[in-house]
């Protein structure tokens, strides 16, 4: 992300490339033959009467244009490598006639075919993306489900892909070549450059910071006994109303001269401090990972998995005022080297790294930013739809057991104003399979707002779904935290 344009070498995808730190985090140590199930899925409402031929041309153009969507992962004697195929192994888009289906029947069919598409993804063959066009006829809005393996996309990538899909479809519908804008630096070039940079010792100055961070206490209070597996995991979603979200997105940051994720982490930190009975807790935080390390590298339009996961020794005095808490958390985040990128690089790219055996955080935090779901306009995509139930945006790495609950938040803008879904994912308690209950360990922390009194926790909870929530529900500003053992 720099003003200078990348050179020809940077723009071209190398024949083979090493893995980035986040890819190493996922693939290193995996047993041979174990399925690589780790997907991101978008479900979109399309314009009524969407032309299937134009949509297919746009989808094909997207796969040709973005090399990550044609990436194959191979296990070699020296570890995992990634290379780009000349074309996708088989057709990416499939059309499904659902004109006779509505309501529950339509949802069931979308669910069934989405499950099949996700199961068909296989990074070892280069099959990393699938698109499903649900054609509802000329008078009703169709639907498009795009599911991709997380090894090749991240949150920023989706913004790039959906914008390029719109551009390519418009061109194809008008009979013009479907060619999205230039991509900039290739993902493979970035992976190789970061690997060389790290192994050269250029990031070693950050090692003392990360070694000190690893000494922070990571343990959480014990929860209930019983299974602690992905099969028993659940997601609890709370949606804030438009007024509260506006205070969180605009008023509080302006008053305290801070950012939204600082406010959210402050609320989470206070909750954890009171629950754990100490002022410091090791929290796993995610950043976009697209840092400006090299002047000749431009990642602003590169599709790939860049996420930087790093531990933060979050220090929050349980009874401190909000002004002091926000200022402290803001300073702690600003002190993180390279927004966390150097932690993953030093841990996963340096042989024998002292960080390799550092304790992992038992709770994670991820702020996804703002997404426009208003659907205004006359283009291809008219709005975002809830993902099919049971298809989480992310699945944690291990095959059977949880390493941490994940607290996830994003703001969505629609015609009625902005709303904010906040989700926690972790093992459920002894209650119903879809509604965690008290033994799992939850607490509520009210976020600060101009002139707003502390609010009690919500009195009713909707059944949680995987990374989806309804909008428009009324709930006070705050943070749910679901604990695991």
């Amino acid at each position: 992300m720099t003003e200078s344009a990348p050179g020809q070498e940077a723009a071209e995808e190398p024949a083979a490339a090493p893995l980035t730190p986040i890819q190493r985090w996922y693939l290193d140590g995996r047993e041979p033959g174990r399925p690589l199930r780790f997907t991101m899925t978008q479900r979109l409402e399309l314009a009524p009467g969407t032309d299937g031929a134009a949509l297919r041309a746009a989808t094909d153009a997207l796969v040709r244009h973005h090399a990550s969507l044609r990436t194959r992962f191979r296990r070699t004697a020296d570890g995992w490598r990634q290379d780009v195929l000349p074309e996708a192994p088989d057709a990416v888009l499939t059309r499904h006639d659902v004109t006779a289906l509505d309501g529950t029947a339509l949802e069931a069919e979308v669910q069934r075919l989405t499950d099949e598409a996700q199961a068909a993804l296989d990074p070892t063959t280069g099959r990393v993306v699938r698109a499903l066009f649900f054609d509802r006829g000329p008078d009703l809005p169709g639907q498009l489900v795009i599911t991709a393996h997380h090894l090749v996309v991240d949150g920023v990538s989706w913004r790039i892909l959906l914008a390029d899909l719109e551009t390519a479809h418009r061109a194809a519908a008008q009979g013009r070549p479907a060619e999205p804008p230039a991509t900039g630096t290739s993902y493979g070039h970035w992976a190789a450059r970061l690997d060389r940079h790290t192994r050269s010792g250029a990031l070693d100055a950050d090692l003392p910071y990360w070694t000190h961070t690893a000494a922070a206490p990571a343990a959480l209070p014990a929860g209930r006994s019983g299974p602690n597996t992905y099969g028993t995991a659940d997601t609890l979603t709370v949606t804030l109303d438009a007024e509260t979200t506006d205070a969180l997105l605009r008023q509080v940051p302006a008053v305290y001269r801070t950012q939204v994720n600082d406010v959210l982490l402050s609320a989470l930190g206070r909750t954890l401090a009171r629950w754990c009975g100490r002022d410091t807790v090791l929290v796993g935080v995610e950043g976009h990972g697209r840092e400006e390390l090299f002047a000749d590298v431009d990642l602003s339009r590169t599709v790939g998995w860049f996420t930087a996961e790093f531990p933060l020794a979050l220090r929050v005095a349980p009874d401190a005022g909000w002004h002091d808490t926000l200022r402290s958390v803001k300073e702690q985040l600003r002190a993180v080297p390279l927004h966390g990128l150097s932690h993953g690089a030093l841990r996963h790219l340096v042989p024998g790294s002292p960080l390799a055996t550092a304790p992992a955080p038992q709770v994670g935090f991820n702020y996804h930013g703002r997404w426009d779901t208003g659907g205004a306009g006359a283009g291809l995509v008219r709005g975002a739809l809830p993902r099919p139930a049971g298809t989480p945006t992310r699945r944690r790495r291990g095959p059977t057991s949880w390493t941490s609950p994940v607290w996830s938040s994003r703001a969505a803008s629609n015609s009625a104003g902005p709303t904010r879904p906040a989700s926690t994912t972790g093992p459920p308690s002894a209650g119903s399979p879809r509604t965690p209950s008290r033994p799992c360990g939850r607490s509520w922390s009210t976020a600060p707002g101009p002139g707003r009194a502390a609010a009690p926790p919500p009195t009713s909870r909707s059944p949680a779904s995987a990374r989806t929530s309804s909008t428009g529900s009324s709930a006070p500003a705050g943070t749910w935290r679901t604990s695991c053992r």
Side-chain angles (χ1 to χ4, degrees), residues 121-393:
L121 297 181
D122 182 4
T124 64
T125 64
R127 191 178 293 111
V128 293
V129 63
R130 282 289 178 272
L132 311 175
F133 173 38
F134 295 94
D135 191 347
R136 303 180 66 199
D139 301 321
L140 293 175
Q143 296 184 18
L144 180 66
V145 172
I146 307 175
T147 186
H149 202 282
H150 208 333
L151 279 167
V152 300
V153 293
D154 57 14
V156 176
S157 298
W158 282 112
R159 300 171 189 256
I160 299 168
L161 290 172
L162 296 183
D164 285 358
L165 179 66
E166 190 79 51
T167 299
H169 177 267
R170 185 185 310 115
Q174 296 173 353
R176 297 184 287 109
E179 290 297 334
T183 58
T185 303
S186 75
Y187 187 80
H189 179 87
W190 162 259
R193 190 80 172 269
L194 179 61
D195 187 80
R196 292 196 303 269
H197 187 69
T198 304
R199 291 172 184 267
S200 74
L203 302 179
D204 288 357
D206 294 347
L207 188 58
Y209 174 91
W210 296 118
T211 303
H212 179 74
T213 296
L220 300 178
R224 69 178 179 92
S225 60
N228 187 24
T229 64
Y230 292 112
T232 62
D234 206 349
T235 299
L236 175 65
T237 299
V238 174
T239 301
L240 308 185
D241 60 27
E243 179 184 2
T244 304
T245 301
D246 182 71
L248 179 60
L249 291 179
R250 299 186 180 92
Q251 299 178 44
V252 174
V255 169
Y256 292 95
R257 297 181 180 180
T258 188
Q259 298 177 2
V260 177
N261 60 323
D262 302 340
V263 181
L264 296 172
L265 263 174
S266 295
L268 177 63
R270 174 176 286 193
T271 297
L272 291 174
R274 292 176 175 176
W275 180 47
C276 296
R278 60 177 187 265
D279 63 1
T280 303
V281 178
L282 197 65
V283 176
V285 181
E286 292 192 14
H288 59 71
R290 298 170 185 246
E291 304 302 329
E292 298 180 357
L293 281 183
F294 315 110
D296 60 340
V297 168
D298 180 2
L299 304 176
S300 60
R301 280 193 37 79
T302 304
V303 171
W305 192 11
F306 290 88
T307 304
E309 288 197 334
F310 61 94
L312 175 69
L314 187 60
R315 298 181 301 278
V316 176
D319 300 317
W322 280 116
H323 177 79
D324 292 337
T325 297
L326 282 168
R327 182 178 60 182
S328 172
V329 170
K330 179 175 69 173
E331 291 174 352
Q332 292 175 54
L333 286 173
R334 302 304 180 271
V336 174
L338 289 177
H339 299 101
L341 175 65
S342 60
H343 176 268
L346 291 169
R347 176 169 183 151
H348 297 289
L349 303 183
V350 177
S353 170
L355 300 178
T357 57
Q362 297 300 297
V363 62
F365 170 86
N366 190 8
Y367 172 54
H368 293 284
R370 299 185 61 184
W371 291 78
D372 182 10
T373 61
L380 170 67
V381 178
R382 299 301 173 90
L385 296 171
R387 298 178 186 92
T391 56
T393 303

Side-chain angles (χ1 to χ4, degrees), residues 39-192:
T39 60
M40 299 187 79
T41 300
Q42 295 289 334
R43 185 183 180 189
L44 309 168
E45 184 174 74
L46 305 180
T50 293
D51 178 30
L55 182 59
R56 183 178 301 279
T59 305
D60 290 344
L62 222 60
V63 175
R64 287 195 308 269
H65 194 67
H66 293 287
S68 288
L69 304 183
R70 294 176 278 110
T71 301
R72 176 180 58 185
F73 294 81
R74 297 179 296 110
R75 186 193 298 269
T76 71
D78 298 323
W80 286 91
R81 302 282 292 182
Q82 55 187 324
D83 54 67
V84 175
L85 301 176
E87 57 185 28
D90 43 34
V92 170
L93 178 72
T94 55
R95 174 187 172 275
H96 305 275
D97 186 346
V98 292
T99 53
L101 303 179
D102 202 358
T104 303
L106 176 60
E107 287 299 308
E109 184 68 354
V110 172
Q111 175 73 69
R112 182 184 70 83
L113 292 171
T114 299
D115 288 344
E116 289 182 0
Q118 289 181 327
L121 297 181
D122 182 4
T124 64
T125 64
R127 191 178 293 111
V128 293
V129 63
R130 282 289 178 272
L132 311 175
F133 173 38
F134 295 94
D135 191 347
R136 303 180 66 199
D139 301 321
L140 293 175
Q143 296 184 18
L144 180 66
V145 172
I146 307 175
T147 186
H149 202 282
H150 208 333
L151 279 167
V152 300
V153 293
D154 57 14
V156 176
S157 298
W158 282 112
R159 300 171 189 256
I160 299 168
L161 290 172
L162 296 183
D164 285 358
L165 179 66
E166 190 79 51
T167 299
H169 177 267
R170 185 185 310 115
Q174 296 173 353
R176 297 184 287 109
E179 290 297 334
T183 58
T185 303
S186 75
Y187 187 80
H189 179 87
W190 162 259

